[in-house]
Amino acid sequence: MLKKIIVILIVLVQFSAFGQLQNTLDKITQSGLTSSVIGDGLKEALEKGITKQVTTLAGEDGFFKNELVKIVLPEQLQKVDKTLRKLGMGQLADEGLKLLNRAAEDAVGEAIPIFTDAITGITFTDAKNILAGNEDAATSYLQTATSEKLYEKFNPIIKQSFQKVGADKVWETIISKYNSVPMTRDVNPNLTDYVTTEALSGVYKMVAVEEKEIRGKVGERSTDLLQKVFAVQD
């Protein structure tokens, strides 16, 4: 009986979501907005969010002092961090963490041109579905369209950044000291891959924050075009 109730609830939720989607699509049709206006409005919103958030992330402490995206140590290195602090090397552990975030900050500035290409390629059908979609529909579209290219772009930059900011030397020291501690199992993490993945996650998370603001707060729609287009999903 419980299973039947759960199934019914799921169906009702899905039906409700479909109804909301159809309602928004109907409002788009009835609004008289041309495909060009809808496309331009969505592209402007994405460009606004990307420019604002990616520029912020690319600045000093853009990752390190933003709790939403701050890169923390992977599980494999959390035991390394705890061990070093127990041995009185907390300052070294802090520096290692900061430099991981510095590398991400170095890389994200390269995201804007790739995002711009993805925005240019949005079709009217894409734009209409994104506008009628949930609060992170545009971000999800961008993630699908750009994640592979961004990874390929970020990875070598982060690797170079490790050398530039001295992260490679610091982490070589950290891992060497940890591996020399008796009764510990040696670690050799791929930090370049880890920071690349976390940097990507941070970028999409902050673009989603901006998308939610534009969708949900009329005051964030700073131009007539944004106000006109996003009014149909209110």
Side-chain angles (χ1 to χ4, degrees):
M1 183 65 180
L2 179 58
K3 287 183 179 180
K4 288 183 179 179
I5 293 173
I6 292 172
V7 169
I8 291 170
L9 288 174
I10 291 172
V11 170
L12 288 174
V13 168
Q14 290 175 335
F15 183 78
S16 174
F18 176 79
Q20 291 172 4
L21 173 62
Q22 189 59 52
N23 182 54
T24 304
L25 289 172
D26 289 343
K27 288 174 70 176
I28 291 172
T29 301
Q30 295 163 10
S31 70
L33 295 176
T34 66
S35 59
S36 176
V37 170
I38 291 173
D40 288 347
L42 182 64
K43 290 174 184 179
E44 182 177 317
L46 288 173
E47 287 169 357
K48 176 179 182 289
I50 288 165
T51 301
K52 176 182 175 182
Q53 295 298 343
V54 173
T55 301
T56 300
L57 288 174
E60 184 172 327
D61 290 328
F63 273 82
F64 190 62
K65 291 189 177 179
N66 182 339
E67 291 303 318
L68 283 177
V69 297
K70 180 179 180 179
I71 296 174
V72 298
L73 295 178
E75 185 176 351
Q76 185 183 12
L77 289 180
Q78 289 175 12
K79 58 185 178 183
V80 175
D81 182 83
K82 291 177 182 178
T83 300
L84 291 182
R85 293 183 190 282
K86 286 179 182 178
L87 296 173
M89 289 183 275
Q91 187 173 353
L92 179 62
D94 289 339
E95 183 66 10
L97 183 59
K98 181 185 288 186
L99 292 178
L100 294 186
N101 285 271
R102 288 286 181 267
E105 291 156 10
D106 267 357
V108 295
E110 300 296 323
I112 291 178
I114 294 174
F115 276 136
T116 300
D117 286 345
I119 292 170
T120 302
I122 290 176
T123 66
F124 170 61
T125 300
D126 291 331
K128 188 170 67 170
N129 289 335
I130 290 169
L131 187 60
N134 57 29
E135 64 184 16
D136 65 348
T139 304
S140 296
Y141 172 87
L142 285 177
Q143 191 164 1
T144 300
T146 64
S147 58
E148 187 174 339
K149 289 181 180 178
L150 283 182
Y151 185 94
E152 291 173 358
K153 191 73 173 179
F154 281 15
N155 196 262
I157 294 172
I158 286 172
K159 187 173 183 178
Q160 292 171 8
S161 181
F162 279 167
Q163 297 172 348
K164 184 179 78 175
V165 302
D168 55 344
K169 298 297 182 184
V170 170
W171 276 98
E172 184 180 322
T173 300
I174 288 173
I175 291 171
S176 176
K177 287 184 179 296
Y178 175 79
N179 287 344
S180 68
V181 175
M183 307 297 291
T184 59
R185 180 175 295 179
D186 287 1
V187 296
N188 185 28
N190 185 339
L191 287 175
T192 302
D193 178 70
Y194 173 73
V195 173
T196 300
T197 302
E198 290 297 295
L200 283 173
S201 175
V203 168
Y204 294 122
K205 185 175 290 185
M206 294 313 299
V207 171
V209 167
E210 190 67 19
E211 178 183 359
K212 185 176 180 180
E213 290 286 298
I214 292 172
R215 285 181 183 273
K217 297 181 180 178
V218 176
E220 290 296 317
R221 302 167 192 170
S222 55
T223 68
D224 290 341
L225 180 59
L226 291 180
Q227 291 169 15
K228 184 186 298 183
V229 170
F230 279 90
V232 300
Q233 54 97 75
D234 289 338

